[in-house]
Amino acid sequence: MMKIRLMTYLIFVMFLTYCDKKEDTKIDVYENTLKGKHIEIKKINKFIIKETRDSFIGTFLFTKYRNNNLVLADYLKPQIFFIDKANGEILKKIEFKFGKGPGEVIKIGSFEILKGRIYISDMGNFRWSVFDTSGNYIFSARPFSDTPRKLDQKQKGKYEGNGNIMEAYKDKIYNCIIESEYNRDLQQHNSKAIAILDTSLNIVKVFGHFDKIFGEFKTYFINPMLSITEDGNIYFTQAPTYRIYKYDKDGNYLKTFGIKGKFRMIEKDIPSNLPIPEIMKKTLEFSVSDAIFSSPKGLVLHQFLDRTEKLYETRDLLDNNYYLKVYDINGNYIESDIKLPGMLMTVDDIGNLYVYEKNEPGNRTIGVYEIKIVDN
């Protein structure tokens, strides 16, 4: 659920630096509303994750719908849970050995399951590790640059993982990246933003771009998100903006679209020399794109949030206010901006939404919702 959602909320101010804008970032946002229609969601089920003493979840940030199950990656311990989407029963837990050695994992960022393999972005070891679906180690690699561990060390490599949001399509993995040379104040908008990797973690192609807002403000939250539809089209968005960029499966740019609606854009930088409580207060003034999903019903689901003061007291992600904005796959907006009863985790193969509604150990509640396009 990005290097990481938790970091996005707890690391308040980050800095970036200015260069000429790319030509495609100057394209006006394509805005069109599907007339006479709106979105409704209806709760059709709910369940509690059936944790036990031996299968207890610490904190999870990423959820995927894979192999007819919900799959959660624990952020506090290197373990992955496969959960029955109907009743919340934990069907399988894979716990990886903690450590720095071969086959060991320190902290799971994002993950993906592809062709019988589990791909893990290990944030603690600055590498990716690959296992089979029984947890047996296969290999490790550093497809992007190694992040320096000391200030006097130089960065190795041309790209950085930038949160390691992963999505799979066919036999490829799509991952958010940033070019190392542009990872500085007001230059990120010059960087390519997405990499395609093969199953051996070789980089096949890099493409895309970051929003022009990264050349205008130093203050921002690094949180790129992507989703891939059944036909291979890629939808990409970033935390400070509601804009969505569409590419085909080969990374060719198609269009930019988005409706601002209830999304509150950041309007000015937050000075870095303010006391932390003042910085927190200012982050309440603008919205943040949190996730993007594609639905087999031909919909693109954009989740964004507004922070609350309570969030900074509890550090509980459910103390954000979450909203859902819906488009068709051509970028036409369908009247929505729906306030959700929690955080949208994932979408299943028939288009049902899974919303995390209660973040209470032993009583973690997930609501299942049906989404419909309805005549006004």
Side-chain angles (χ1 to χ4, degrees), residues 170-227:
K170 302 296 185 182
D171 58 347
K172 298 291 191 297
I173 295 173
Y174 295 74
N175 190 86
C176 296
I177 55 98
I178 183 171
E179 295 176 86
S180 300
E181 65 178 305
Y182 297 122
N183 193 14
R184 57 193 69 176
D185 288 351
L186 299 179
Q187 287 194 22
Q188 187 173 359
H189 66 296
N190 290 295
S191 174
K192 291 185 172 61
I194 302 171
I196 303 176
L197 299 93
D198 62 22
T199 53
S200 297
L201 299 183
N202 300 304
I203 298 175
V204 177
K205 183 177 182 179
V206 294
F207 64 94
H209 65 273
F210 284 89
D211 194 270
K212 61 184 180 182
I213 194 172
F214 292 110
E216 299 169 355
F217 295 102
K218 292 182 180 179
T219 300
Y220 74 103
F221 291 77
I222 290 184
N223 192 5
M225 295 141 280
L226 62 87
S227 183

Side-chain angles (χ1 to χ4, degrees), residues 25-39:
T25 63
K26 296 179 181 178
I27 296 175
D28 291 334
V29 175
Y30 167 73
E31 295 190 357
N32 191 52
T33 300
L34 200 61
K35 304 298 183 184
K37 306 285 185 181
H38 69 275
I39 292 292

Side-chain angles (χ1 to χ4, degrees), residues 8-282:
T8 299
Y9 304 122
L10 302 184
I11 301 177
F12 306 115
V13 182
M14 302 193 68
F15 300 93
L16 287 180
T17 51
Y18 187 76
C19 258
D20 293 336
K21 297 179 182 178
K22 286 189 173 182
E23 184 177 352
D24 56 3
T25 63
K26 296 179 181 178
I27 296 175
D28 291 334
V29 175
Y30 167 73
E31 295 190 357
N32 191 52
T33 300
L34 200 61
K35 304 298 183 184
K37 306 285 185 181
H38 69 275
I39 292 292
E40 289 184 358
I41 61 172
K42 177 183 177 182
K43 193 169 192 175
I44 57 175
N45 189 23
K46 78 171 183 177
F47 59 83
I48 295 172
I49 299 176
K50 295 179 173 60
E51 295 174 283
T52 66
R53 179 176 295 181
D54 296 327
S55 295
F56 185 79
I57 303 168
T59 294
F60 64 91
L61 300 170
F62 291 97
T63 307
K64 293 183 182 289
Y65 178 78
R66 297 292 182 267
N67 304 325
N68 207 37
N69 298 310
L70 302 185
V71 188
L72 313 181
D74 196 327
Y75 180 69
L76 300 180
K77 293 180 65 177
Q79 51 188 3
I80 288 178
F81 298 86
F82 293 77
I83 297 172
D84 191 313
K85 70 171 186 175
N87 57 25
E89 180 182 351
I90 296 177
L91 302 174
K92 181 169 70 172
K93 180 187 79 169
I94 299 177
E95 185 168 358
F96 306 99
K97 186 175 180 181
F98 181 90
K100 298 181 179 180
E104 297 177 342
V105 177
I106 292 179
K107 191 179 293 290
I108 299 175
S110 190
F111 70 97
E112 189 51 271
I113 301 173
L114 179 64
K115 291 184 173 294
R117 291 182 171 186
I118 301 174
Y119 292 80
I120 288 175
S121 167
D122 182 353
M123 292 167 52
N125 282 313
F126 302 101
R127 69 189 181 201
W128 287 25
S129 290
V130 184
F131 303 83
D132 66 21
T133 51
S134 295
N136 299 306
Y137 175 66
I138 300 175
F139 72 95
S140 293
R142 288 185 168 90
F144 310 115
S145 66
D146 294 338
T147 303
R149 301 187 182 215
K150 296 180 181 179
L151 291 176
D152 60 350
Q153 289 180 321
K154 291 185 178 180
Q155 182 116 1
K156 299 177 181 179
K158 188 175 181 181
Y159 307 107
E160 299 175 36
N162 200 7
N164 292 327
I165 286 294
M166 265 188 269
E167 288 291 326
Y169 181 74
K170 302 296 185 182
D171 58 347
K172 298 291 191 297
I173 295 173
Y174 295 74
N175 190 86
C176 296
I177 55 98
I178 183 171
E179 295 176 86
S180 300
E181 65 178 305
Y182 297 122
N183 193 14
R184 57 193 69 176
D185 288 351
L186 299 179
Q187 287 194 22
Q188 187 173 359
H189 66 296
N190 290 295
S191 174
K192 291 185 172 61
I194 302 171
I196 303 176
L197 299 93
D198 62 22
T199 53
S200 297
L201 299 183
N202 300 304
I203 298 175
V204 177
K205 183 177 182 179
V206 294
F207 64 94
H209 65 273
F210 284 89
D211 194 270
K212 61 184 180 182
I213 194 172
F214 292 110
E216 299 169 355
F217 295 102
K218 292 182 180 179
T219 300
Y220 74 103
F221 291 77
I222 290 184
N223 192 5
M225 295 141 280
L226 62 87
S227 183
I228 306 175
T229 55
E230 292 176 334
D231 60 2
N233 285 323
I234 301 158
Y235 297 84
F236 175 70
T237 189
Q238 301 131 70
T241 178
Y242 59 89
R243 297 181 183 90
I244 297 172
Y245 298 89
K246 181 179 179 180
Y247 303 88
D248 67 19
K249 62 183 175 60
D250 297 316
N252 298 306
Y253 173 82
L254 298 176
K255 66 171 61 173
T256 305
F257 62 90
I259 299 289
K260 185 176 180 180
K262 294 180 180 178
F263 192 97
R264 301 174 301 160
M265 291 289 293
I266 185 170
E267 295 181 348
K268 58 183 178 180
D269 283 324
I270 300 175
S272 60
N273 59 354
L274 291 178
I276 292 297
E278 285 298 310
I279 292 175
M280 291 179 179
K281 184 176 179 180
K282 289 184 177 295

